[in-house]
Every structure is written in C-alpha cells, then in structure tokens.
Amino acid sequence: MAQLAVSVVSNDDHCKREMARMLRACGVPIGIVEERRAGDTAVSDVYIIDIRADASSGMATIERLRAAHPGVAIFAVASNTEPDLILQAMRAGANEFFPWAAGGIARGTEESFQGAVRKTAARRDAATAGARQPCVTHVFLGAKGGAGTTTVAVNCAVELARLTKRPTAILDLKPCLGEVALFLGVRPRFTVLDAIENLHRLDRDFLKELMSRHKSGLDILAGSEQFDRPNAQDAVALEELLRILGKLYDYIVIDAGNLINACAVAALYAADTVFLVANPDVPSIRNAQRLVDRVRQLGAGSERIRVLLNRTSDQHLIAPKQIETALGYGIHHSFSSDYRTVSTALNSGVPLTLTNHSEISAQFGSFAKQLLGMEEAKVEPERRRPFLGIL
Ligand SMILES: Nc1ncnc2c1ncn2[C@@H]1O[C@H](COP(=O)(O)OP(=O)(O)OP(=O)(O)O)[C@@H](O)[C@H]1O
Ligand SMILES: [Mg+2]
C-alpha cells in the first residue's frame, strides 16, 4: 500500500504529536508532512485542520483547501460538538469532524478517527488502482548485529527487481558505513545523506543521479559514510525522502540495521512489511522479542511483522516451533546456513541469486516469489509463551 501523506495544520505542538501518535497506530503506512516548502506542489492525501483556536480562520483554510484540491480528505478538529460548528465545517468542505477534549481526540472517537484514516487510504488506493501500482515497502530489521539483515535485504531486492522488471530501489539506512553497495559490488558516488541534504531539489532526475544502478536493474541509495549519521535530526527529512521514493519506485527495500533509532522508526512507519531477521540462537530470539514489543509500543503495526530465520541448520539446536512460540509469530521464511556460499557471494560483490544454483539462492528466489504472490507462504502465527525460562 502506498504511504498516506498527512498534513496536520495546527499551532499546537501537543496536538500535532497526539495526531501523529494516532495516525501511526492506524495500521496503514503513514507519512506525516511536517510543512510544505515554498514551491512544493505536492498535495497531501489528508489534511487535519485544528480549528480550536480560531474557528473562522480554520473554516477559511478548509474552504481554500477544498477549492484547490477537491479530492483530498479534510478532517476538522474542534473543541466542541455544537451542531452549528459541525455544519459550518462540513459546508466549508470537511469530510470528518472530531471533537478534542482533555488533551486529545475525545474518548470514544479515537477509533472512528482511525477508521476514517483507514477508509481514506483504501479509497485512495481504489482511486489510483488503474493508474500506477502503489509502492510496496519492505523493511529489514536485524534482531542482532550480524544476523544477516544485509544479506537477506540485498538478495531480496535483487530478486524483486529481476522478477518484476519494475522500478525497485534499495535504501541503506544503517548509520555509519552501511554495506549494501559493497554487497552488490557497486561503488556509489552518493549516499542517503546527499538525498537528505538536498530534499529541496529532489525531483525524479536529481534522485536518479544519486542512485547507483545494479545490473539486475535495482537502484541503490547507498549507506552513509559518516559514523554518526543518519541520526535523529535526519528522521524528518528521511520520512520525506521515503515519500518521494514511493512516488518513483514500485518496490522499496530498506536495510534498517539492527537498532530502533529515529530513522529506523521512520522506515517502520512507512513499511508495508517489517521483516525481523533472526538467527536460531538465544540472543537473537530474546532481542527479537524485545524488538517486536518495541514495534508494538510504537504503534507501527505489529501485524506487519514477519520473522525470518537466517542461518538455520539441520541440527535444530533450538526447534523452529520453540522459536515461533517464544516470538508469537510463525517463521515466515528460513534461510539455511551456508557460510561458504554466502561469503563467496559477499566477497565477490555478486548477489547469491545471480551467481549459483545453491539451495540458499533458491531459498531467496522462493522468498521473493512469495512476496510477489507467485508462491504461497506456509506458516500461521502462534501464541507467545515463555521460552527456556529466560525469555
Ligand atoms: N545464511 C547464511 N549462512 C552463512 N553465513 C551467513 C548467512 N547469512 C549471512 N551470513 C554471514 O554472516 C555475516 C553477516 O552478514 P550480514 O552482513 O548480512 O549481517 P548483518 O546483520 O547485516 O550485519 P550488521 O549487523 O553488521 O549489519 C557475513 O559474514 C555473512 O557472510
Ligand atoms: Mg548489515
């Protein structure tokens, strides 16, 4: 599903934060537009207009927006539910009206607010269904360092580009020295920081300049070469970058590293699917549990999480069933342990699926086909229970 771009028009920072929290918990990919820059002609899908402080200027804003953009959704937020006020807002062009009380959207209306957001997303997708396929964003998050997040993300991205022949990009978000380009044998001229720092001129042509092209057709936005970036200060710009990429690409794969920092959070909110890459060992599973809990806390849609088990072996030191029970998720896909094959591909800068006919490259092929609906997934989620008494 393409990201739903939402602008919150309010002078109250608390209101903006509260709206962001509720929007993030709607279960659809959301991009919150901080402020449209001068000359920016892009239009958000939803405008939330806070009319509490000044109802008449709020109504004027609604009218202006409705006249300029008949198709957008406009939600009015008011301090009371006077029938006259509701009527006035609706006549000005608001689609929805929500009362604000005691620091937030009034109790009992939060669900209808989120329902209205979801409906808007579904309507927007239906309206654009004939035009362009909505962009699909897959985020790969490692349960711990070295779990194989980059290996899985890179091979998946190459397969998506190869199988679909549609515009596909991989974005390396790992702070300090991401390795995506290296894994693909590409020497990038630009990195994600160049995109973040040049947002104001980031049109299709400029963005294409910043991307490195892999021979599979995959575009790469390489990882930063600065140790402390991208960091929390880059998160808002990154969110905007993801929105721009979403307009140009059909598939976006993000290597988010293994930390839930502000940039990874921006990626999680933009994700259609969050793939948690774990190994079949205790540290991985314990960390994976914590990450799942954190994603839930962030309201980033825990139903979007899929667990990938990398480096499995026949010995099954921990049985896959135990792992599923501990995490509360079925294992979506497993990749076997084959250090020689994976390392050879990595050292030569040629992705597995383009080099050989090993079992592990077939597993990546089948994983990508599942994502594209060309093959069926096999597992069902399970309930979470204590595991080894320590998790
Ligand atoms: N299925 C596998 N079988 C054997 N070795 C693997 C497998 N997947 C990854 N590896 C190896 O594990 C190491 C780490 O892989 P990778 O860099 O993809 O992990 P990562 O989670 O992205 O690490 P980092 O936390 O540094 O970003 C590499 O040496 C790679 O060859
Ligand atoms: Mg990595």
Side-chain angles (χ1 to χ4, degrees):
M1 182 179 271
Q3 259 192 71
L4 195 71
V6 184
S7 293
V8 182
V9 182
S10 172
N11 292 324
D12 175 3
D13 284 345
H14 169 69
C15 170
K16 284 186 178 176
R17 277 195 303 276
E18 187 56 17
M19 288 295 166
R21 183 192 65 75
M22 284 197 304
L23 287 162
R24 306 296 198 193
C26 285
V28 293
I30 297 278
I32 295 176
V33 181
E34 278 299 305
E35 218 169 279
R36 292 271 179 218
R37 295 181 304 270
D40 180 357
T41 53
V43 179
S44 297
D45 301 301
V46 181
Y47 287 85
I48 299 176
I49 315 291
D50 178 3
I51 61 171
R52 289 171 303 149
D54 184 346
S56 66
S57 104
M59 296 296 173
T61 306
I62 294 174
E63 261 174 26
R64 254 195 328 272
L65 269 173
R66 178 55 69 222
H69 310 295
V72 303
I74 303 177
F75 297 0
V77 175
S79 48
N80 64 66
T81 49
E82 293 284 329
D84 274 356
L85 191 67
I86 299 179
L87 213 60
Q88 222 185 325
M90 295 306 185
R91 282 197 185 122
N95 307 80
E96 305 279 348
F97 185 97
F98 296 100
W100 180 274
I105 285 278
R107 197 184 282 267
T109 48
E110 187 160 330
E111 234 166 68
S112 52
F113 174 86
Q114 293 178 332
V117 174
R118 282 193 288 272
K119 249 189 275 157
T120 308
R123 256 198 311 268
R124 192 270 327 264
D125 278 359
T128 53
R132 176 183 165 253
Q133 173 192 327
C135 173
V136 180
T137 303
H138 298 301
V139 172
F140 291 79
L141 184 65
K144 67 175 171 69
T149 312
T150 307
T151 302
V152 179
V154 159
N155 284 286
C156 168
V158 166
E159 278 304 272
L160 288 178
R162 200 179 65 83
L163 291 167
T164 65
K165 312 238 174 323
R166 303 292 308 163
T168 305
I170 184 164
L171 170 60
D172 190 344
L173 264 200
K174 193 177 165 193
C176 82
L177 316 179
E179 287 140 355
V180 166
L182 198 64
F183 274 45
L184 289 164
V186 169
R187 202 181 284 257
R189 284 194 302 142
F190 302 103
T191 75
V192 63
L193 295 186
D194 295 294
I196 284 175
E197 282 161 9
N198 289 284
L199 273 183
H200 56 286
R201 50 196 279 244
L202 212 54
D203 57 12
R204 176 184 296 264
D205 294 338
F206 188 62
L207 194 56
K208 287 273 172 195
E209 280 292 305
L210 299 184
M211 308 295 269
S212 309
R213 179 51 75 93
H214 184 255
K215 65 178 176 202
S216 60
L218 177 68
D219 277 350
I220 306 158
L221 190 48
S224 149
E225 291 190 342
Q226 290 184 26
F227 278 97
D228 56 349
R229 289 187 69 196
N231 57 29
Q233 278 81 50
D234 296 315
V236 169
L238 177 72
E239 207 165 318
E240 174 84 23
L241 171 64
L242 291 174
R243 229 175 358 260
I244 297 171
L245 287 171
K247 290 189 187 136
L248 301 181
Y249 290 93
D250 287 4
Y251 297 97
I252 299 175
V253 170
I254 300 177
D255 177 354
N258 53 65
L259 298 173
I260 299 201
N261 53 24
C263 289
V265 170
L268 291 177
Y269 287 135
D272 288 271
T273 326
V274 176
F275 289 107
L276 193 55
V277 183
N279 296 151
D281 56 35
V282 170
S284 241
I285 298 159
R286 186 204 55 178
N287 292 5
Q289 279 188 333
R290 292 182 176 176
L291 290 175
V292 165
D293 287 343
R294 182 71 185 128
V295 173
R296 282 208 184 102
Q297 260 173 22
L298 288 164
S302 55
E303 71 286 349
R304 289 179 247 172
I305 297 178
R306 304 279 180 279
V307 174
L308 301 178
L309 206 56
N310 186 33
R311 305 189 80 155
T312 59
S313 75
D314 293 340
Q315 276 115 47
H316 287 321
L317 295 177
I318 302 175
K321 266 274 169 264
Q322 264 184 304
I323 297 172
E324 294 185 333
T325 307
L327 294 180
Y329 286 88
I331 294 166
H332 183 78
H333 212 99
S334 295
F335 305 102
S336 48
S337 183
D338 184 347
Y339 186 72
R340 191 185 170 82
T341 307
V342 174
S343 294
T344 306
L346 194 161
N347 290 335
S348 60
V350 183
L352 282 162
T353 43
L354 301 187
T355 35
N356 61 53
H357 301 290
S358 61
E359 191 188 332
I360 189 160
S361 61
Q363 288 165 354
F364 281 115
S366 131
F367 171 55
K369 283 187 188 138
Q370 267 183 29
L371 290 187
L372 294 167
M374 298 172 174
E375 250 180 42
E376 268 182 34
K378 297 162 201 119
V379 287
E380 287 299 317
E382 292 213 349
R383 300 203 71 140
R384 177 161 155 180
R385 271 182 247 130
F387 168 70
L388 298 182
I390 54 167
L391 299 172

